[in-house]
Amino acid sequence: MNTGLHSLSSEFNLRDGGMLYTSLNSLTSNGFVRIYYLEQKRRCKALRKNAGMLSLSCPTTSKLMEGSFMRKEQQHKPRLKLEFVRTLLIDNYDSYTYNIYQDLSVINGLPPVVIRNDDWTWEDLCHYLYEEKAFDNIVISPGPGSPAYANDIGICLRLLHECKDIPILGVCLGHQALGYVHGAKVVHANEPVHGRLSEIEHSGCSLFNGIPSGRNSGSKVVRYHSLVIDPESLPKELIPISWTCSADTQSFLEISNSSSISDARDIVSSDSRSEVQKSLRVWPFNGHRNKENGKVLMAVMHSIRPHYGVQFHPESIGTCFGREIFKNFREITEDHWLKHGPLVACKENVDHSGNQTILRKPVEQLSDGPFPSRGIGLNGVSRKGVGLFDLVNLSYPSNGVKFLKLTWKKYDHLASEVGGAKNIFFQMFGHHKAENTFWLDSSSIEKGRARFSFMGGKGGSLWKQMVFTLSDESGHPFEGGGYLSIEDVQGSATKTFLKDGFFDYLNKELSSFQYKREDYDGLPFDFHGGYVGYFGYELKVECGAAYNQHKSRTPDACFFFADNLLVVDHSSDDVYLLSIHEECNTSTSWLDDAEIKLMELRTSVPDKLTEESSLNVSFTPGKVDFVAEKSKEGYISDVEKCKEYIKDGESYELCLTTQIRKKIEDTDALRLYLRLRETNPAPYAAWLNFSKEDICICCSSPERFLQLNRDGVLEAKPIKGTSKRGVTKEEDEQLKMQLQYSEKNQSENLMIVDLLRNDLGRVCEPGSVHVPLLMDIESYATVHTMVSTVRGKKQANLSAIDCIKAAFPGGSMTGAPKLRSMELLDSIESCPRGIYSGCIGYISYNQTFDLNIVIRTVVLHEGEASIGAGGAIIALSDPSEEYEEMILKTNAPSRVVMEYS
């Protein structure tokens, strides 16, 4: 991007009529703030309990020293507390904002209100800050771009300039905005740093109260930035309060294994604190020397106003003491208002420690005025985004209520007796080229990666096939909608235009189903019938993206409604037959017929499958007559473009992809898939055959996009970091260790983990999002991969489709921040992604789901085989190595295509 800086005054020449507003999430006239706090009151008690676990009642108080807000420990004097703190969180179109949201929800005792930086006019903001007194403080999020450009920073500059008496904390871009608004220069850093960690030292000011300082103290922070505030340009109004200890950065695992981490949490450096207490205006390090030593300014504070900025990301999973930063900001806020008021208080409460808590009226008791009629959803919706009030499942059934009944049978230890999952599928569903069939295939079950396989074909009276195609023209802003074709079991077809899109349609369909939980209480799996198919990547326009630069060659979504299915439990070797039907229909004919066929299966693999399994075709990637969308030189050039965007702060990570294609004759697609699953088994593999659309999907994906189980727990398992397998055991172990401890691969993975935490944070209960496994190595037939696991508890008032929309497309295929990254990738990539980069899986009629990321996949469509591949580009990427990694990912599927074409 252009990095020239404009004068501050030009940034306040707002567009006529103020900012650009959303119309997607307009609310009723009873007012957003009132609705929001009424909804959140039920959570306050639990959140205060969680906040207590974080030791929020630290006995400190603020003191104004030489024009700055500094906290001095007062162990002998109890401090005053607010019952909860009301934060306005301004989202700069970032993909980490909801990590801040989750932290503040627990620490403040109340979830913040989230708006995008162009959702409110200045008049709206002033009304709620000064007339309604609806917020106690403001947090400005990170984001792409530069504070020098109004489109990147929105209303935040004016807020920092004019809201002198309200506590404000800026994170990353918000920190840079604080410097820029007071005249500091925002410049390129010596080196872009994304997803990497640095040790920091600080002044001991109130924002860093109780946090260690200096080398080997355990105070490490995660950095995501390409731009910095030039410390030489700091005006007298801004005080530097934190720097990196050196120019060096470290990888996460290198740091997390350090013994200093656990010991450092109770250590506070007295040296740096004493320097500040001697003179707030004297920083203990010379600015010129810091610059020469490569130290980077990490935090500033205003000398008079309660305004703070941190360059690093306290909300990152890898930042030590990140929540303490937000806790300290809460205490700064409490001290500010308890000293400067006014407060609307009902009563005071004194706890066992003598601390006084001010119990205040929630906002709904303070205001009779409505939220702006153009209002936004609480989850920070923009004109292009998806917010909570968009997500709430308030829709009505599209075709009336359907009362569904589930009937099922179980056959203990049967799978191996009838030849296993492959033989079952081939014999029961493989006739007539396996037309209109599906197989969600857990072909790799080692180490508990997967357990169940689901399969089926054209079914009973409820079966149907749905094909959806977006109506938007490539390269133009998306206006919504698309065409849905439905064919029922009798072959009758209809085509309708869905103005509100496919996700909305599925939401309404799922809301029309009623059922009894006891029907499936005895089943150990969560798919009991419903939708099986794929969402194509270009459906991103229904999830916040502005447009698609390229039109998909395949339909944007295809699904079966599967009313009959067979399930294999690979752990117990059990087999299940399931059938759903409307309650008025008591027929079990499919169950009876399927049982007979199952019992007739031979216990050995058929000869033709044995023959197929014995094939061993030599293969040389360089000689395959696939045609690449981009040459080697073109792909390397694209990597360089990505790195330039990252250098300019437009993105932290860009997941660049391309595709290879090959014309094919009349290929036996099922045999091709069986060979793929044999040579490259994967836990989230899949076969889909939409015969009338001439689409066969042969997928060997190792990556879960998102799962929702019957307990309401969401799980994502992003993969970032891939290396080849070794020829010998020693070489293989060496390659695995190189992947594990690669700073580049750890940075890639950490950035996507933080992104997935954000996506789950939009729809999960505050405080519930966590990471049980970080940067674990999983090994497959052809590659090692670095995998993390992110989980959270879904909010009860949200639907399955709401959760999918909040996270789609998978962050591991886009980069971060997601919206800006998708726009940049659209401009770089030369073809649509289509099914590749989307997701395949099921959505059960009772609103559980499990979806993969479509990678390592062959798509057969209209006489052509296509395979997509790519990789995450970060500042540390080597273009030639990125090209080699992309080629590595195409090897397994392309090899199989060559065997059968």
Side-chain angles (χ1 to χ4, degrees), residues 82-118:
L82 302 178
E83 181 187 14
F84 50 77
V85 171
R86 305 163 302 173
T87 295
L88 177 65
L89 176 55
I90 300 180
D91 176 23
N92 288 303
Y93 288 85
D94 196 53
S95 288
Y96 298 151
T97 300
Y98 282 87
N99 297 330
I100 299 175
Y101 170 90
Q102 287 276 326
D103 282 346
L104 292 178
S105 296
V106 174
I107 290 167
N108 287 350
L110 190 73
V113 171
V114 186
I115 64 168
R116 287 271 169 81
N117 63 24
D118 54 0

Side-chain angles (χ1 to χ4, degrees), residues 158 352 423 451 511 725 735:
R158 188 167 184 182
H352 64 277
N423 193 39
R451 178 177 170 184
S511 70
R725 297 296 302 264
L735 290 169

Side-chain angles (χ1 to χ4, degrees), residues 440 533-537 554 556 559 657-659 676 684-686 688 696-706 719 808-810 812-813 833-841 851-860 866-870 889 893:
L440 305 180
Y534 73 82
F535 296 109
Y537 175 79
T554 52
D556 294 292
F559 278 85
T657 75
T658 188
Q659 298 204 25
L676 179 63
Y684 308 108
L688 290 173
C696 285
I697 303 172
C698 305
C699 175
S700 58
S701 174
E703 182 171 1
R704 168 175 281 158
F705 164 48
L706 197 62
I719 291 177
F808 187 84
S812 62
M813 301 306 296
R833 295 191 183 183
I835 297 168
Y836 170 66
S837 294
C839 59
I840 292 171
L851 301 165
N852 74 4
I853 294 285
V854 183
I855 53 177
R856 321 290 197 271
T857 297
V858 180
V859 176
L860 305 174
S866 63
I867 299 169
K889 292 172 180 176

Side-chain angles (χ1 to χ4, degrees), residues 593-608:
D593 293 342
E595 181 178 30
I596 294 171
K597 292 179 181 178
L598 191 60
M599 295 308 169
E600 290 177 348
L601 292 184
R602 290 172 290 179
T603 57
S604 60
V605 179
D607 291 341
K608 55 185 176 182

